Amino acid sequence: MPHFPKLLVVKIGSNVLTNPEGKPDLARMESIARQVAELKAKGIKIVLVSSGAVAFGRKEIQLHEKTEAVLKKQIWASVGQVELIHTYKTLFAQHHLAVSQILVTKEDFRDRRHYLNMRNCILGLLQQGIIPIVNENDTVAITELMFTDNDELASLTSSMINADSLVILSNVDGIYEGPPSEPNSKLIPIIGSRLEDIGQFISPVKSSFGRGGMLTKSSMARKAADLGIRVWIANGKRDNILLDIWEEKAPSTFFEPKSSKHSPKKWLAHGDQYFKGEVTVNDGARLALFSEKISSLLPVGIIQVKGEFSKGDIILILDEKGKKLGLGKAEYASSLIQERIGLKNQKPFIHYDYLYLIQNA
């Protein structure tokens, strides 16, 4: 019997939703909508993370070639997002399903309260049987606040809503031992949780219409799997790909998950993009954090603090050699921890419940 998920995130890449000329592939979108409807009929809650707004906008609006590149993308994204959601609404209406639109930026994931509000909204939509369609708000995103691509957004979304499964649809079957275009390259069907480096297998070349490449996909898939989420990278151009994954009929790369982490730690796991300050700890604190005994980070183990931050902000933890050890939520502001550096008998600066350690650090 296939092991169907309870809560599934499906990331649909630009190369899945467009034809070789970069125009929207409506037949492919119709196929995906049909498959999602069939999975929902089995009781599966589904969130889509969908690219494609720029491609739809490019089809609608012709811009002068001298238009500045960022502005051009913003205009196409703004116009195209309307068309993208309208198309999804029309296709899912054929299956008597409603959709919603959620546009986000990285800033939406930085604040814990805002993060929880966004999570509650998505879960509320799912409870009503509505399919949330998530996309980056390219219209307002600036370079330093842009996601690497929608693979990162899909991994973040999966962690945020405690999804048990994530499918990343690309235009290739998965990760190969060499360039997919070479006939001798073999597909890697399973990547175990202990496999250390798969970067040696992956071509750095990015996709034609998307922002990221397979290296980003594999990195975000690994991060999600480390948090206990089952992840597949598969070919969205294949007919019935979503249905065939659960029947184990589809060629794909499966990332073996580790044990599931608590919700706050899932939030912190992606915090390397959002941290507001840094603390450097001594060797004694480093050993205590990675020991089998549950330990919080105390001021006595801190030797340096950088940045200005408030209580509740995400903090990067480094050892004395500058190596990243983990991330945590500050229990008090930078001005206060500066006064308590190295002091004993103080309350934890980062409580264990809000501490995410980077394994193999």
Side-chain angles (χ1 to χ4, degrees):
M1 290 291 290
H3 182 39
F4 287 107
K6 294 180 180 178
L7 180 50
L8 167 66
V9 173
V10 178
K11 185 267 179 175
I12 309 169
S14 296
N15 277 332
V16 176
L17 296 183
T18 54
N19 58 29
E21 290 75 41
K23 296 180 181 179
D25 187 343
L26 299 181
R28 185 57 50 196
M29 292 182 70
E30 185 176 15
S31 171
I32 290 172
R34 174 185 55 79
Q35 294 174 69
V36 169
E38 289 190 38
L39 290 173
K40 274 191 62 62
K42 298 179 184 294
I44 302 169
K45 295 178 179 178
I46 300 175
V47 174
L48 299 184
V49 176
S50 179
S51 304
V54 172
F56 271 82
R58 190 186 290 118
K59 176 180 74 74
E60 292 293 316
I61 301 293
Q62 298 298 316
L63 297 175
H64 194 281
E65 60 182 17
K66 292 185 178 180
T67 305
E68 196 267 326
V70 173
L71 178 60
K72 188 182 292 186
K73 182 184 177 184
Q74 288 176 321
I75 292 171
W76 280 337
S78 181
V79 173
Q81 188 66 31
V82 176
E83 292 296 318
L84 178 67
I85 292 296
H86 176 73
T87 302
Y88 274 126
K89 180 180 178 180
T90 301
L91 292 174
F92 279 108
Q94 296 173 7
H95 303 282
H96 309 289
L97 293 173
V99 302
S100 71
Q101 173 182 257
I102 299 176
L103 296 176
V104 301
T105 67
K106 271 191 173 183
E107 195 67 31
D108 295 318
F109 289 88
R110 178 176 285 170
D111 180 78
R112 176 70 176 164
R113 183 175 296 177
H114 198 170
Y115 175 93
L116 292 174
N117 285 339
M118 185 163 52
R119 184 186 73 175
N120 291 339
C121 176
I122 292 176
L123 294 178
L125 289 165
L126 292 170
Q127 288 175 353
Q128 298 301 317
I130 299 168
I131 300 172
I133 301 176
V134 184
N135 196 6
E136 181 173 13
N137 192 346
D138 291 317
T139 303
V140 300
I142 55 177
T143 302
E144 57 266 31
L145 288 178
M146 291 172 67
F147 297 101
T148 306
D149 65 5
N150 271 351
D151 300 311
E152 182 184 4
L153 177 54
S155 181
L156 272 163
T157 302
S158 301
S159 302
M160 177 176 65
I161 64 174
N162 287 324
D164 56 273
S165 301
L166 165 64
V167 173
I168 298 175
L169 294 181
S170 182
N171 61 342
V172 293
D173 289 334
I175 296 176
Y176 288 77
E177 293 179 349
S181 57
E182 293 185 4
N184 293 329
S185 293
K186 294 182 180 179
L187 180 69
I188 304 174
I190 299 177
I191 293 179
S193 59
R194 295 186 179 182
L195 186 61
E196 297 205 359
D197 181 23
I198 58 175
Q200 59 184 314
F201 300 128
I202 301 170
S203 169
V205 177
K206 293 184 179 181
S207 58
S208 302
F209 303 108
R211 212 162 50 227
M214 191 54 72
L215 198 57
T216 303
K217 288 175 175 55
S218 63
S219 173
M220 293 304 153
R222 167 59 61 79
K223 183 165 284 189
D226 285 348
L227 297 173
I229 300 167
R230 299 185 301 163
V231 186
W232 289 259
I233 296 178
N235 192 340
K237 290 291 191 182
R238 285 184 175 271
D239 292 336
N240 294 318
I241 183 64
L242 291 175
L243 301 175
D244 287 349
I245 283 174
W246 315 116
E247 300 286 349
E248 299 184 352
K249 297 177 182 177
S252 62
T253 297
F254 174 66
F255 287 74
E256 187 178 68
K258 293 183 179 179
S259 59
S260 184
K261 304 292 189 297
H262 294 302
S263 179
K265 294 182 186 289
K266 289 183 177 181
W267 170 59
L268 291 165
H270 294 271
D272 53 352
Q273 301 290 328
Y274 319 125
F275 64 87
K276 289 288 187 71
E278 301 177 10
V279 293
T280 301
V281 302
N282 59 31
D283 284 341
R286 179 180 58 81
L287 291 172
L289 292 176
F290 285 92
S291 69
E292 293 184 3
K293 182 181 177 181
I294 292 176
S295 299
S296 300
L297 177 58
L298 303 173
V300 67
I302 297 173
I303 59 177
Q304 188 179 35
V305 176
K306 289 184 179 180
E308 293 185 9
F309 49 85
S310 303
K311 179 180 179 180
D313 285 340
I314 297 178
I315 306 300
L316 177 66
I317 306 167
L318 306 169
D319 68 10
E320 294 183 70
K321 296 179 180 178
K323 186 176 182 180
K324 295 179 181 179
L325 300 181
L327 298 132
K329 188 181 79 166
E331 289 299 317
Y332 32 89
S334 52
S335 57
L336 196 53
I337 186 60
Q338 288 281 10
E339 297 174 359
R340 299 183 181 183
I341 290 176
L343 297 182
K344 297 180 179 180
N345 303 319
Q346 302 293 315
K347 293 182 179 179
F349 171 60
I350 296 175
H351 191 276
Y352 175 79
D353 289 343
Y354 291 91
L355 173 66
Y356 173 79
L357 297 174
I358 300 171
Q359 297 305 312
N360 302 318

